Amino acid sequence: MKNRMSEEKAVDIFQKHGGMLKTAQAARLGIHCETLYRLRDRGVLETVARGLYRLSSLPALSCPDMVTVALKVPHGVICLLSALEFHEITTHIPHKVYVALKRGTMTPRLTYPPLCVVRYSGEAFSMGRESHEIDGVTVYVYSAAKTVADCFKFRNQFGLDVAIEALKLALTRNKATRADIFRCARVCGVEKIIRPYIEALE
C-alpha cells in the first residue's frame, strides 16, 4: 500500500497555494481526506465552509462570507446589497450574500453562508464585472455604477430608499460617475426611472 503524504508535506502544499484549499483541490494535490481531518482536529487547519479548509495560522479573513462564496461559486458575481456593502455605498447590512449567476446555470448548493441567487443574461450579466483580490482570493463584484442600476431595477424588492441612498453615496464618494450609472441603467432597463434622481442631485 502506498504511503500517504505526511502532515508536514500537506501543510507545505497549503502554504504554496495561499493557505486555503477545497477538498477536491487537496485530493488532486495528493492530500488524503484523512490527513485533512487529522490536521483539522489538531487545529492546524480550520473549516471555512463545507469542503473548504484553511491554515489556522493565517490572519483572520476580512470578508469570510464573500471569500467562501467566491471559492465555492467561482462563476458568480457579488451583486446588489453585498456589492453595495463592498463599495461602501449603503448603511444597510445584508444578512445573505447576493450573487449573480448567468441564466441557465445550476443553483449552487451551499450550506453556509446563506445565499440569494439572482439570474442575469447577456450584457446584464457581463457588464460592470470587476475582479478584486480579497484575502488572496479573486472575487468578482459588480462595479458601483452597475450595482446602483441593479438596485433601481430591484427597487420593489429592496425599497426605493436603498437605491436612492446608493446613488447619492456612489456620487458623493466618487465611486461612480453619472455617465457610468446612465450606461449601466440603460442596459438594466431603468434609465428613465433613474434619470430624475440623478438630475435632482446636480
Side-chain angles (χ1 to χ4, degrees), residues 85-107:
E85 184 183 39
F86 176 80
H87 291 296
E88 299 179 333
I89 51 174
T90 186
T91 56
H92 295 77
I93 300 174
H95 300 293
K96 300 177 181 179
V97 177
Y98 290 82
V99 62
L101 290 175
K102 192 175 288 187
R103 200 176 301 279
T105 56
M106 289 182 61
T107 299

Side-chain angles (χ1 to χ4, degrees), residues 72-136:
K72 302 286 277 188
V73 192
H75 301 298
V77 186
I78 301 299
C79 65
L80 294 167
L81 299 188
S82 297
L84 289 183
E85 184 183 39
F86 176 80
H87 291 296
E88 299 179 333
I89 51 174
T90 186
T91 56
H92 295 77
I93 300 174
H95 300 293
K96 300 177 181 179
V97 177
Y98 290 82
V99 62
L101 290 175
K102 192 175 288 187
R103 200 176 301 279
T105 56
M106 289 182 61
T107 299
R109 295 181 180 179
L110 198 61
T111 54
Y112 189 87
L115 286 183
C116 181
V117 175
V118 185
R119 302 286 179 176
Y120 291 87
S121 59
E123 195 176 4
F125 178 76
S126 60
M127 185 180 207
R129 191 180 85 148
E130 298 177 343
S131 173
H132 297 270
E133 187 169 302
I134 304 174
D135 298 317

Side-chain angles (χ1 to χ4, degrees), residues 163-193:
I164 294 172
E165 178 191 53
L167 172 63
K168 290 179 179 177
L169 291 176
L171 292 173
T172 58
R173 295 179 178 178
N174 297 315
K175 301 286 186 175
T177 66
R178 287 172 171 80
D180 287 339
I181 294 172
F182 271 130
R183 195 158 39 246
C184 293
R186 195 172 301 119
V187 170
C188 294
V190 292
E191 185 180 10
K192 290 182 179 179
I193 294 167

Side-chain angles (χ1 to χ4, degrees), residues 128-146:
R129 191 180 85 148
E130 298 177 343
S131 173
H132 297 270
E133 187 169 302
I134 304 174
D135 298 317
V137 174
T138 299
V139 180
Y140 294 107
V141 186
Y142 281 128
S143 68
K146 172 66 158 57

Side-chain angles (χ1 to χ4, degrees), residues 29-54:
L29 294 167
I31 304 173
H32 194 274
C33 59
E34 288 185 8
T35 305
L36 290 176
Y37 299 152
R38 282 200 306 272
L39 290 171
R40 177 201 62 192
D41 294 343
R42 285 180 46 215
V44 178
L45 294 179
E46 61 184 11
T47 305
V48 178
R50 184 179 178 183
L52 182 61
Y53 296 92
R54 182 175 184 266

